[in-house]
Amino acid sequence: MCHLRLSLAFALFLYFSGSEAIARSSDNVSSQTQVKVGMVTRNFIDEKRKNWQRTGPRPLRTAVWYPAAASTKEETIFGGAPEEQVFVPVTVSPGAEISRTSGKYPLILMSHGTGGSALMMMWLGYYLASRGYIVAAVNHHGNTAAEKERAAQGFLLYWERAKDLSAVLDKLLSDPFFNSHIDRKRIGAAGFSLGGYTVISLAGGVFSPQEFASFCRSPQRDFTCEPQNEMPDAPRLFEELKKSDAVVQESLRHAGDSYRDQRIKRVFAISPALGSGFTAAGLSKVKIPVHIVIGQADKITPLATNAQRYASLIRGATLTVLPGEIGHYTFLAECTARGKKIVDVCLDAEAVDRATVHQRVAELAFEFFEQGWPRQ
């Protein structure tokens, strides 16, 4: 039942992200919103890498949120009849003209968790965009609900995700709509779960497959060592691919490389995974500011072996532990009453209000990025 409910959640996100569905006009903009939020989707590709099927270049479908001009029309996604809604509707201005209130805007690249999608993190992207940021969230090929099929390679070749964000950054800096509006001195990254690992890799952390394998053989092993619910067969399938797939074999040769992108100046990681796959030396290479947030009750990426380990080994890193019963999936999209009844990832402890947690974490992210940019 758990897997069926997870699949439903991801299927719904696939539907909305694939069709860019817009349901109806709405004037119900949050009182916290500073400016209107525009939204577009870019079907970027990375010509330097093949897709997992080896039939073409690697897809980088990316959702982008940005400050929209005040005169633009607003519409609602995740709309439809109230009795059918699973996720709380969000008001955006699709394809709107970018606001001219600032000459250039900071850019945040965003990475979703295992088997998720860009829209899973829209709550954070929307918040930042409404306060003067351009936010680009990529769907990681083979590891996202925004594709019809998942791939074992996408689940276990973790380091390919950091390359996704660097490639998307290249594309955005040459995109006719966005390039002149991006402040190249104010570029950061934010990620959730495996996306948290991804942005720490962008910051300079060097992952060690040997270190992670050793940890997973130890009594301290945690849930990150286990087959993930979104694709339980991935480890078994991957073992076969390692023997025959040239793309997999080539990627494995670069597992221990550095994926530091010098253009990234600050990193915000939410419930980051794979903390025990880094040595002290590997994390000593992170020289930029890092803020890590986690819920105290997280059982998917437990505090001690993930967020706490990252924070203790990254010099100057800030760790915020949200107290109480806040768990891993609290950081996914806000759900309706119906969603809470039928989708497992919508379930929080009774004392947890997901919207309140999102607000607090979004405020932390905004403050973190704002405090470190160079003076304009």
Side-chain angles (χ1 to χ4, degrees), residues 88-360:
V88 174
V90 182
T91 301
V92 295
S93 299
E97 179 184 355
I98 197 164
S99 172
R100 304 287 177 169
T101 57
S102 176
K104 293 182 181 293
Y105 297 100
L107 169 66
I108 304 299
L109 304 170
M110 202 150 60
S111 177
H112 63 73
T114 297
S117 72
L119 294 188
M120 287 282 191
M121 301 304 296
M122 186 172 177
W123 59 270
L124 179 56
Y126 186 97
Y127 183 96
L128 293 174
S130 73
R131 285 154 178 81
Y133 280 64
I134 297 170
V135 183
V138 66
N139 291 302
H140 292 289
H141 174 50
N143 189 235
T144 175
E147 293 178 341
K148 293 181 180 179
E149 297 180 2
R150 296 175 183 139
Q153 306 95 307
F155 278 73
L156 291 159
L157 297 174
Y158 316 115
W159 43 93
E160 295 291 340
R161 295 168 59 104
K163 294 162 73 174
D164 287 347
L165 293 187
S166 289
V168 166
L169 178 53
D170 292 339
K171 298 295 183 182
L172 286 170
L173 292 177
S174 62
D175 186 280
F177 187 81
F178 289 111
N179 63 351
S180 64
H181 298 287
I182 295 172
D183 186 338
R184 298 181 182 222
K185 295 181 180 179
R186 296 187 291 167
I187 300 175
F192 164 69
S193 194
L194 192 56
Y197 147 84
T198 302
V199 298
I200 289 172
S201 293
L202 276 181
V206 178
F207 181 75
S208 168
Q210 296 79 16
E211 184 77 6
F212 188 59
S214 177
F215 166 73
C216 289
R217 290 191 297 266
S218 75
Q220 289 74 41
R221 63 179 288 136
D222 65 19
F223 185 79
T224 62
C225 298
E226 309 300 333
Q228 300 299 297
N229 292 337
E230 294 82 4
M231 192 176 182
D233 288 342
R236 177 183 61 81
L237 296 171
F238 188 70
E239 286 303 311
E240 294 303 314
L241 290 166
K242 285 165 62 176
K243 301 173 186 176
S244 59
D245 191 301
V247 176
V248 170
Q249 293 167 353
E250 175 63 18
S251 181
L252 284 169
R253 285 192 280 272
H254 298 280
D257 290 0
S258 172
Y259 293 100
R260 171 74 179 115
D261 191 320
Q262 297 291 338
R263 297 169 294 184
I264 306 298
K265 307 302 182 186
R266 303 178 76 79
V267 158
F268 190 85
I270 304 170
S271 299
L274 304 185
S276 293
F278 290 82
T279 64
L283 288 175
S284 70
K285 302 180 185 300
V286 179
K287 305 295 185 183
I288 63 174
V290 174
H291 191 143
I292 300 167
V293 176
I294 189 171
Q296 190 172 37
D298 193 325
K299 296 179 181 178
I300 305 300
T301 56
L303 172 63
T305 49
N306 294 283
Q308 201 164 58
R309 178 173 175 81
Y310 279 122
S312 66
L313 295 177
I314 296 174
R315 185 174 181 179
T318 299
L319 174 63
T320 299
V321 180
L322 302 177
E325 299 179 88
I326 296 170
H328 194 70
Y329 296 119
T330 302
F331 301 106
L332 297 182
E334 188 181 353
C335 302
T336 62
R338 179 172 183 267
K340 293 173 185 178
K341 292 179 181 178
I342 65 173
V343 181
D344 280 1
V345 296
C346 288
L347 299 178
D348 295 306
E350 188 174 349
V352 174
D353 181 80
R354 188 173 291 198
T356 300
V357 175
H358 286 182
Q359 179 72 19
R360 174 60 180 145

Side-chain angles (χ1 to χ4, degrees), residues 183 185-187 265 369-376:
D183 186 338
K185 295 181 180 179
R186 296 187 291 167
I187 300 175
K265 307 302 182 186
F369 287 121
E370 282 292 292
Q371 69 187 10
W373 300 132
R375 292 183 179 276
Q376 297 300 296

